[in-house]
Amino acid sequence: MEFYKTLEMWYLNNKRDLPWRKSSNPYFVWLSEIILQQTRIQQGLSYYNTFTNHYPTVLDLANAKEDNVLKNWQGLGYYSRARNLHFSAKYICNELDGKFPTTYKEIIKLKGVGDYTASAIASICFNEKTAVVDGNVYRVLSRYFNIDIPINSSKGIKYFKELAQELIINANPKEYNQAIMDFGSMVCKPQNPNCENCPLENGCLAKAKNMISSLPVKEKKIKIKNRYLNFIVFTNGEQTILEKRTGSGIWQNLYQFPLLEFDEIATQKELIKKPLLKDYNTSTIKLFNPEPWVHKLSHQHLFTQFWIVDTQNISQTNSVHWENIDNFAVPKLIHKFLDSYKTK
DNA sequence: CATGCGTGGGA
DNA sequence: TTCCCAAGCAT
């Protein structure tokens, strides 16, 4: 049986029951695909439900405030996805008359939508023959055809996309694209793939050559940078100060306590040299966590300390009542602090 | 085009 | 503990 047919047959009997598969409404499929970028289904599922409940249509999403969209995205990470989702919803409503684009070529123009996502939506919703190439597809194809071209090299990206596109030619694109991804995540897994019960085992070159565990090949490891962040938690008992992160780094447009960054773990002595704290008596500045909390991002390790500053002088501009603080979208780290601080 | 962007789960 | 990595994209 041909490669595509085997996968389609497997999918028929093994596909997972997922909420976004109940409809081919491109808005719902788009939502699910953005949420699932670099994210496990288990992690994204509740967010999908939140978004479809809060924003049942693309117009509801377009009419929302970005702060609200980010609040609903809080905790999921890669927050540019939420910002781009919101941006694109407005684009669809304002420029496309509220009609979701129907071809790969038009769909990929949406911010936050690249080759993979455009292929997924175009095939799943409009049955266009555009092959998806995600992490699962890289793994399945590199193993089945025993290809050791690094999947994150420009050569590899081109090679696998072309191969995937050849394999979909005679397939039912909607079924086949989802089949190869489900198959990759359930059978041809990164670790301990289930080769014993694999319907593709006969033709699998990596299996024959005992290469399964070394494929796919990925080159370049990321370099992790250490940062030392000190969050200043001003409080008069009722209010505190929050500021919105701007610029291009992590957590863009989320909220945090005023931040002082150093090249190493800071002491109170160094802290009070900063303009933000120079007028405060050292006795009013207390370190909340004597042992720095290490928050690990994919590219950075953040060594973080929270300093509580008791003061009656809370500026009106960025003041927030403690009782309202949960209305703000904050990074996981800040949320962890709030949890810990409240229960103290 | 190499790098930056979150978080959580599993080995 | 540490490492990998999970339905990628923007710049």
Side-chain angles (χ1 to χ4, degrees), chain A residues 3-4 6-7 10 132-147 151 160 163-164 167 176-190 193 198-201 203-207 211-212 215-217:
Chain A
F3 184 81
Y4 80 90
T6 306
L7 285 173
W10 176 88
V132 294
V133 183
D134 72 334
N136 293 305
V137 176
Y138 280 123
R139 191 167 55 255
V140 172
L141 296 187
S142 67
R143 286 174 176 171
Y144 188 80
F145 296 100
N146 194 29
I147 300 160
I151 60 172
F160 282 99
L163 174 57
L167 292 167
Y176 170 79
N177 270 343
Q178 297 185 89
I180 192 168
M181 290 190 286
D182 261 23
F183 177 79
S185 68
M186 297 165 71
V187 179
C188 196
K189 299 175 290 182
C198 176
L200 287 173
E201 190 189 356
C204 182
L205 290 180
K207 177 67 179 170
M211 293 294 289
I212 293 282
L215 291 172
V217 172

Side-chain angles (χ1 to χ4, degrees), chain A residues 78-109:
Chain A
Y78 284 154
Y79 297 94
S80 67
R81 291 183 292 172
R83 297 190 302 269
N84 289 334
L85 196 63
H86 184 231
F87 180 95
S88 294
K90 288 189 288 187
Y91 166 76
I92 291 168
C93 291
N94 297 333
E95 310 293 328
L96 304 182
D97 197 24
K99 298 189 178 72
F100 203 95
T102 59
T103 63
Y104 171 91
K105 201 176 156 205
E106 296 300 317
I107 295 169
I108 201 169
K109 290 179 183 168

Side-chain angles (χ1 to χ4, degrees), chain A residues 29-241:
Chain A
V29 173
W30 174 50
L31 270 182
S32 73
E33 291 299 342
I34 300 298
I35 287 171
L36 293 177
Q37 286 169 4
Q38 298 288 283
T39 303
R40 287 185 170 79
I41 287 173
Q42 199 50 42
Q43 194 189 355
L45 208 44
S46 68
Y47 288 85
Y48 177 79
N49 292 328
T50 296
F51 270 73
T52 51
N53 286 334
H54 280 76
Y55 319 112
T57 70
V58 67
L59 185 60
D60 295 313
L61 181 57
N63 286 339
K65 295 278 185 233
E66 187 190 83
D67 275 358
N68 191 253
V69 177
L70 284 171
K71 181 63 195 178
N72 285 316
W73 198 271
Q74 175 178 306
L76 192 56
Y78 284 154
Y79 297 94
S80 67
R81 291 183 292 172
R83 297 190 302 269
N84 289 334
L85 196 63
H86 184 231
F87 180 95
S88 294
K90 288 189 288 187
Y91 166 76
I92 291 168
C93 291
N94 297 333
E95 310 293 328
L96 304 182
D97 197 24
K99 298 189 178 72
F100 203 95
T102 59
T103 63
Y104 171 91
K105 201 176 156 205
E106 296 300 317
I107 295 169
I108 201 169
K109 290 179 183 168
L110 302 177
K111 242 189 194 177
V113 172
D115 175 69
Y116 162 76
T117 304
S119 300
I121 299 172
S123 61
I124 293 172
C125 301
F126 307 106
N127 225 30
E128 187 172 331
K129 264 181 195 171
T130 50
V132 294
V133 183
D134 72 334
N136 293 305
V137 176
Y138 280 123
R139 191 167 55 255
V140 172
L141 296 187
S142 67
R143 286 174 176 171
Y144 188 80
F145 296 100
N146 194 29
I147 300 160
D148 61 3
I149 305 173
I151 60 172
N152 55 351
S153 64
S154 47
K155 184 182 173 190
I157 292 168
K158 187 167 180 289
Y159 184 93
F160 282 99
K161 177 71 183 183
E162 287 173 3
L163 174 57
Q165 198 56 38
E166 289 170 22
L167 292 167
I168 203 176
I169 288 303
N170 295 314
N172 175 339
K174 172 182 171 148
E175 303 297 314
Y176 170 79
N177 270 343
Q178 297 185 89
I180 192 168
M181 290 190 286
D182 261 23
F183 177 79
S185 68
M186 297 165 71
V187 179
C188 196
K189 299 175 290 182
Q191 281 88 30
N192 306 316
N194 192 359
C195 295
E196 296 73 30
N197 297 309
C198 176
L200 287 173
E201 190 189 356
N202 275 345
C204 182
L205 290 180
K207 177 67 179 170
K209 296 176 188 298
N210 198 23
M211 293 294 289
I212 293 282
S213 62
S214 51
L215 291 172
V217 172
K218 193 183 276 189
E219 66 185 9
K220 310 162 196 164
K221 33 250 160 225
I222 54 168
K223 202 166 174 185
I224 292 176
K225 172 177 153 193
N226 288 343
R227 298 177 67 183
Y228 304 90
L229 307 184
N230 293 269
F231 292 101
I232 314 303
V233 184
F234 294 101
T235 180
N236 62 10
E238 293 183 353
Q239 294 162 291
T240 186
I241 304 288

Side-chain angles (χ1 to χ4, degrees), chain A residues 10 48 64 115 250 255 300 306:
Chain A
W10 176 88
Y48 177 79
D115 175 69
I250 57 174
Y255 290 82
Q300 305 177 12
F306 290 82

Side-chain angles (χ1 to χ4, degrees), chain A residues 227-234 243 245 251 256-280 285 287 302-309 333-334:
Chain A
R227 298 177 67 183
Y228 304 90
L229 307 184
N230 293 269
F231 292 101
I232 314 303
V233 184
F234 294 101
E243 56 188 28
R245 288 186 67 92
W251 301 329
Q256 66 179 17
F257 298 103
L259 170 65
L260 297 174
E261 181 165 4
F262 290 79
D263 293 330
E264 55 189 37
I265 300 289
T267 61
Q268 196 193 62
K269 188 181 283 185
E270 292 160 318
L271 217 58
I272 58 175
K273 292 179 186 166
K274 297 282 189 177
L276 182 67
L277 292 175
K278 67 175 170 48
D279 293 333
Y280 290 86
I285 305 174
L287 182 55
L302 309 179
F303 295 80
T304 62
Q305 301 186 120
F306 290 82
W307 302 82
I308 314 296
V309 180
L333 171 68
I334 303 295

